[in-house]
Amino acid sequence: MKIARVIPIFKKGDICLVGNYRPISLLSIFDKILEKIMCTSLYSYLIDYQFGFRKCYSTTLALIDVLDQIYYQLDNNNKVLKIFLDLQKAFETVDHQNLLAKLHNYGIRGIIYSWFKNYLTNRKQFVGVSGVSSQLRYITCGVPQSSVLGPLLFLIYINDIGNSISGIPIKLIADDTNLFIFSESIDVLKINSEDKINLLNSWFVANKLSLRLDKTCCSIYGFSRSIVLNI
């Protein structure tokens, strides 16, 4: 039940680069049934600013919420700085000990906690390509992609990201983080953005996550037209 066959799915870019493939884990049917039972009980631990992998939530709803916030601030004569942060290999770099600590802090204790600890411990995987399989290797970090629990465990792992900053709206779509900073002054926006990004970076380092810089950028609203800047 804890052995996964990994199928590399090509995304884009250079076909010869391993980093351009998404590892999809094929698990047993019985394992997925158990995961579904546990998954149903965990949804209540998610915070409202997460729009990814949740029933009745979508990118459309996230867009509506974002536009509502931008228009509200513009109506109050504020300029809005929206920062787009994208995590690199987010699912594959989830630290198991940090995840278990977060589950414990959310109130998952006793037998259920032991179940999740067992679920994450001594997992193995092998890669299968064109009928050829690699050797089995232990999984020391990350959550299985294409599993039932994998996406939800990742959402719980980043659920407390909003605690790293205060007074600033933050929206999550799976591993995509959107940060909103508003003020009447461009100079204040710049200072606040640098401060909040430093705080978020400290959170990323503590949780062993890293940003994908080529997909990290920002947009400023409140002028005659939007200004898009790379950071």
Side-chain angles (χ1 to χ4, degrees), residues 20-85:
N20 291 333
Y21 290 80
R22 176 177 286 109
I24 302 299
S25 300
L26 302 183
L27 303 168
S28 69
I29 298 299
F30 186 61
D31 171 73
K32 291 194 173 185
I33 293 174
L34 283 179
E35 289 190 28
K36 184 67 175 180
I37 295 172
M38 301 303 295
C39 186
T40 303
S41 302
L42 278 180
Y43 265 108
S44 59
Y45 290 94
L46 294 179
I47 296 177
D48 287 339
Y49 51 66
Q50 174 59 254
F51 289 87
F53 303 120
R54 299 181 65 190
K55 186 177 181 180
C56 300
Y57 286 77
S58 65
T59 53
T60 301
L61 182 61
L63 180 60
I64 293 173
D65 184 79
V66 166
L67 290 175
D68 183 67
Q69 289 204 33
I70 292 175
Y71 285 133
Y72 177 81
Q73 295 300 332
L74 293 180
D75 288 342
N76 286 275
N77 298 318
N78 285 324
K79 298 176 178 61
V80 181
L81 174 63
K82 184 181 179 184
I83 303 175
F84 305 85
L85 304 171

Side-chain angles (χ1 to χ4, degrees), residues 79-83 179-182 189 193 218-221:
K79 298 176 178 61
V80 181
L81 174 63
K82 184 181 179 184
I83 303 175
L179 186 66
F180 295 88
I181 303 174
F182 47 87
L189 282 180
S193 64
C218 66
S219 296
I220 301 177
Y221 305 91

Side-chain angles (χ1 to χ4, degrees), residues 9 51 69 79 132 149 194 210 225:
I9 303 298
F51 289 87
Q69 289 204 33
K79 298 176 178 61
V132 180
L149 271 177
E194 292 176 352
S210 59
R225 60 188 180 90

